[in-house]
Amino acid sequence: VDICRDDVCDVSLLPVAPPTVVSTCSDLIMSSPMCKFGGLCSCEDFVNNPESTGCGGVFSSDMGDVQVNSMCAKHCGACSKTCKDDLPNGPLCSFGNLCSCEELVNHPNSTGCGGVYPTDFGDTQVNSVCAAYCDVCPDTDTSDTDVIQKQILKVLEEKLSELCRYATADCQRMLTNLYSCASHSILMTNELDVNVVAVVKKHGESLALAHAELGNLALRRNAEKSRNVLPCLLPTVSPSDVPSKSPAGNAQSESSTGNAESSRFGVGIGIGILIGAVAVVLAFLIVLKVRKANALSRYTAEEEEIDQTRLYKSSV
């Protein structure tokens, strides 16, 4: 697919940011009986209380032991870590047929968990696509932005995969816009969510180039490095932006066609008349030249006859 670099970013063609994720990890000490009846409303006081064994331990009370982390999960850094592997939804699976984290981590070209897997489009952080497998799930309270951006990236890749199965005009328009939006000095048609901006700036150019090649990842080796994206000469236009022809439009088109044919007919007649006039002038000039030549010939003959007569008289 031929793509170009436009001067304007059409925000309407980019994914919409999902609703903001509200973190479920928080300290519950303020709403607990410890605060209402015991006056312990601060996790710092609760954890350092003589009756507490600290984070990861228990707080002993007359009503039984209370798990410190259950009251002060955020304070103790004990938020539940829940995440999943993104590898099955990423380009390594879609184009490279690497859909299992076990295969990716143990691949000869991979340096394993905490390392990278090199591709023609750059190195992929293994932990970023196999967080659950590598046991590196982030705390939910600190990963809201990452979760949102991963969702945006997933939606964007799914849309590109669906739209760019074949080299269509819609695919070309989508990829051109995505590549253009990845520029850091681009005029956007509207305000854009900061998370969408982050995803587009980071992944937009490489995604556009990858999907512009179509086909399997193995068939697109060095595509990103070898492609030279030139500025767009004309604005990209969607098929939906092209007005459909109405009966009146058809009639106007037919009328225009008829007028054009009439104009061509008139021009043909004018050229024919001009050629005829030139031919008449040439014929007239030829006749004058012939007449002049005949007159000159007669004059010469008469002069010779007079000279002979004079010569005869003088001899007699």
Side-chain angles (χ1 to χ4, degrees):
V1 179
D2 292 329
I3 63 175
C4 57
R5 187 175 64 255
D6 209 344
D7 294 330
V8 179
C9 172
D10 188 350
V11 174
S12 65
L13 297 179
L14 299 177
V16 178
T20 304
V21 178
V22 179
S23 174
T24 58
C25 181
S26 61
D27 297 329
L28 305 178
I29 189 69
M30 293 284 292
S31 59
S32 71
M34 296 295 174
C35 179
K36 293 181 179 179
F37 305 111
L40 288 173
C41 301
S42 165
C43 276
E44 186 174 356
D45 294 338
F46 180 65
V47 171
N48 297 316
N49 191 279
E51 302 297 328
S52 171
T53 58
C55 289
V58 296
F59 180 89
S60 300
S61 68
D62 295 337
M63 302 186 66
D65 293 341
V66 178
Q67 296 292 326
V68 174
N69 287 357
S70 67
M71 292 291 102
C72 297
K74 186 174 182 179
H75 178 84
C76 292
C79 295
S80 60
K81 297 180 179 180
T82 56
C83 66
K84 61 180 181 178
D85 297 328
D86 292 330
L87 181 63
N89 302 318
L92 287 179
C93 179
S94 302
F95 303 111
N97 296 323
L98 274 176
C99 303
S100 167
C101 280
E102 184 175 0
E103 293 179 4
L104 176 64
V105 170
N106 298 307
H107 194 280
N109 295 335
S110 173
T111 56
C113 289
V116 297
Y117 177 81
T119 69
D120 293 330
F121 300 100
D123 293 341
T124 298
Q125 298 292 328
V126 175
N127 286 358
S128 67
V129 293
C130 294
Y133 181 88
C134 293
D135 194 23
V136 289
C137 292
D139 295 337
T140 55
D141 64 315
T142 60
S143 63
D144 289 349
T145 299
D146 293 337
V147 170
I148 292 174
Q149 291 184 8
K150 285 181 179 179
Q151 291 178 355
I152 295 171
L153 180 59
K154 178 182 177 182
V155 171
L156 180 59
E157 289 182 330
E158 290 177 348
K159 187 173 183 180
L160 290 174
S161 297
E162 180 181 356
L163 192 62
C164 292
R165 293 179 181 178
Y166 306 100
T168 62
D170 287 339
C171 173
Q172 182 184 38
R173 182 173 181 238
M174 179 74 173
L175 296 180
T176 291
N177 187 70
L178 179 60
Y179 186 92
S180 303
C181 292
S183 172
H184 290 276
S185 56
I186 193 73
L187 176 63
M188 296 191 177
T189 58
N190 204 346
E191 300 235 348
L192 198 57
D193 182 86
V194 291
N195 290 306
V196 177
V197 172
V199 171
V200 171
K201 299 293 185 187
K202 184 177 181 180
H203 303 284
E205 183 174 325
S206 59
L207 282 175
L209 292 175
H211 285 273
E213 295 301 320
L214 303 177
N216 191 280
L217 182 65
L219 301 178
R220 298 183 278 109
R221 192 173 301 275
N222 296 325
E224 181 180 358
K225 299 178 182 178
S226 61
R227 174 163 303 244
N228 184 22
V229 179
L230 301 176
C232 300
L233 298 178
L234 295 173
T236 54
V237 180
S238 170
S240 59
D241 296 334
V242 179
S244 58
K245 292 185 177 180
S246 61
N250 292 335
Q252 183 176 2
S253 176
E254 293 176 359
S255 176
S256 299
T257 303
N259 292 335
E261 292 179 354
S262 298
S263 299
R264 287 194 296 269
F265 181 73
V267 171
I269 292 177
I271 293 175
I273 293 175
L274 179 61
I275 293 174
V278 171
V280 170
V281 171
L282 290 175
F284 179 73
L285 292 175
I286 292 172
V287 170
L288 287 179
K289 188 173 182 179
V290 171
R291 289 182 177 180
K292 184 176 181 181
N294 292 337
L296 181 60
S297 177
R298 287 196 300 272
Y299 176 78
T300 302
E302 290 177 355
E303 287 290 326
E304 290 180 353
E305 185 178 353
I306 293 173
D307 290 340
Q308 289 178 0
T309 303
R310 289 177 180 173
L311 182 61
Y312 174 75
K313 290 181 179 182
S314 60
S315 62
V316 173

